[in-house]
Amino acid sequence: VVLGCTCAMLMLSLYVEYLEKKSLIKTIETQKETAHDSIVESNLRYNDALLVQEIGQAISNIFDINQLLRTVAGVMEKRLDFDRGMIMLTDRKEAKLRFFTGYGQSPDEEKILKNTTFHLDNPESKGVFVLAVKEQRPFLVNNISEIQDSLSPNSLEVARLLGSKSLICVPIIYEKKPFGILAVDNRKSSRPLIQSDMSLLMGVASQLAISIANTLAFEKLQTSEKKYRELVQNANSIILRLDTGGKIIFFNEFAQRFFGYSEKELIGKYAGSI
């Protein structure tokens, strides 16, 4: 009897020890998974911070729309883990939406996008790109098949040709004026898109909208200055500009012909010496 009790207690002790070890192993595995998830999340946040910083630094002194958008697309490709990204712009009348630049597309896919026009003024156009501009709100779609019934034939055909599985589309808006859309999509990656992904892209789109507005304003100013210079140069009257000391800092072509002096001969001279 004593031997039997001893064996039973030994077996019970071994079983308890087994359960403790099993529980310990499970705890270690859980902690390992948690640590891994934390590292992944930290890396994502770090990349997000670098993305915003790099875009801010890259576009702060760019006043050419082509260079601006290609720079943003390049930083997105470097820092974001989406298969593809694209920037589309509206025309001046805000009636059409066209592909401008992107990354991750094959030559054939880029050709499809360049040859596709999304009509903002057509009531039948109801794809997410068009709605993002019209309604000025973002879209997050984790399964394209779930919304295919709501797409226009044109949008559905484009999605089929590109092989998109999931996408995020955010409008590029400045003071309620739509400039276009910023979109990313996945065709191979199985990582689900989440709200923080969309929030990040909305921040990028907002920063991009301000830069586009500044660039357009700069281009408009340059155009105005060019027209002013042409008007002054071609005027059939003498136009001089003097500094506060009375020295000539500008005189137009008519003045040059009238006085018989070249620009090089008169700039910096006193007006009274003519």
Side-chain angles (χ1 to χ4, degrees):
V1 176
V2 175
L3 182 60
C5 290
T6 302
C7 289
M9 291 181 66
L10 180 60
M11 292 295 292
L12 180 60
S13 176
L14 291 174
Y15 181 67
V16 169
E17 184 178 353
Y18 164 76
L19 291 178
E20 289 177 348
K21 287 183 178 180
K22 186 177 180 181
S23 176
L24 179 61
I25 291 172
K26 185 176 181 180
T27 299
I28 292 173
E29 289 178 347
T30 301
Q31 290 176 344
K32 182 179 179 181
E33 291 176 0
T34 301
H36 178 266
D37 291 342
S38 296
I39 292 172
V40 171
E41 180 67 21
S42 296
N43 287 337
L44 288 174
R45 289 182 179 179
Y46 178 68
N47 270 331
D48 291 350
L50 287 178
L51 170 71
V52 174
Q53 181 184 10
E54 284 190 28
I55 287 180
Q57 290 176 344
I59 67 181
S60 59
N61 296 314
I62 296 177
F63 294 102
D64 176 78
I65 192 72
N66 298 312
Q67 184 183 357
L68 171 68
L69 298 181
R70 291 193 175 99
T71 298
V72 171
V75 177
M76 288 174 58
E77 180 178 16
K78 179 181 177 182
R79 292 296 174 193
L80 297 180
D81 62 341
F82 302 106
D83 293 345
R84 296 176 295 199
M86 69 181 77
I87 299 173
M88 293 187 172
L89 297 181
T90 60
D91 62 357
R92 293 187 180 276
K93 296 181 179 180
E94 298 177 13
K96 298 176 181 178
L97 185 67
R98 290 182 179 275
F99 174 82
F100 185 88
T101 189
Y103 68 89
Q105 294 86 13
S106 67
D108 288 340
E109 291 167 346
E110 188 170 320
K111 184 177 180 181
I112 291 170
L113 289 168
K114 286 183 176 179
N115 291 334
T116 302
T117 300
F118 296 90
H119 295 274
L120 301 171
D121 55 352
N122 183 358
E124 299 300 318
S125 297
K126 48 189 177 180
V128 291
F129 294 165
V130 172
L131 292 180
V133 175
K134 284 184 175 180
E135 301 177 5
Q136 298 194 358
R137 67 184 180 94
F139 286 84
L140 188 157
V141 181
N142 259 311
N143 193 335
I144 296 292
S145 62
E146 294 177 356
I147 63 166
Q148 63 182 13
D149 293 338
S150 65
L151 298 178
S152 63
N154 185 40
S155 296
L156 187 60
E157 179 63 11
V158 171
R160 185 188 69 79
L161 291 172
L162 295 178
S164 300
K165 293 183 179 180
S166 59
L167 67 87
I168 295 176
C169 175
V170 298
I172 303 171
I173 301 170
Y174 179 73
E175 294 184 347
K176 297 185 178 180
K177 177 178 175 58
F179 289 131
I181 59 104
L182 177 65
V184 295
D185 75 328
N186 286 330
R187 57 181 171 178
K188 297 178 181 178
S189 174
S190 59
R191 182 179 77 82
L193 304 177
I194 56 178
Q195 182 65 38
S196 61
D197 293 327
M198 188 166 69
S199 298
L200 174 64
L201 289 174
M202 288 174 66
V204 173
S206 177
Q207 194 173 19
L208 178 57
I210 295 172
S211 295
I212 291 176
N214 290 339
T215 299
L216 294 177
F218 180 75
E219 289 179 353
K220 186 176 181 180
L221 178 62
Q222 282 190 315
T223 301
S224 297
E225 289 180 346
K226 182 180 179 182
K227 289 181 178 179
Y228 171 74
R229 286 195 301 270
E230 290 175 351
L231 179 64
V232 170
Q233 285 288 10
N234 298 325
N236 290 319
S237 58
I238 298 171
I239 299 178
L240 301 175
R241 281 208 302 267
L242 309 176
D243 64 13
T244 55
K247 291 183 179 180
I248 299 172
I249 58 175
F250 171 83
F251 66 110
N252 66 345
E253 291 181 5
F254 184 87
Q256 294 176 48
R257 293 195 300 269
F258 182 85
F259 292 112
Y261 292 103
S262 68
E263 184 178 24
K264 185 178 180 180
E265 290 175 308
L266 282 186
I267 294 296
K269 302 289 181 63
Y270 288 100
S273 64
I274 298 178

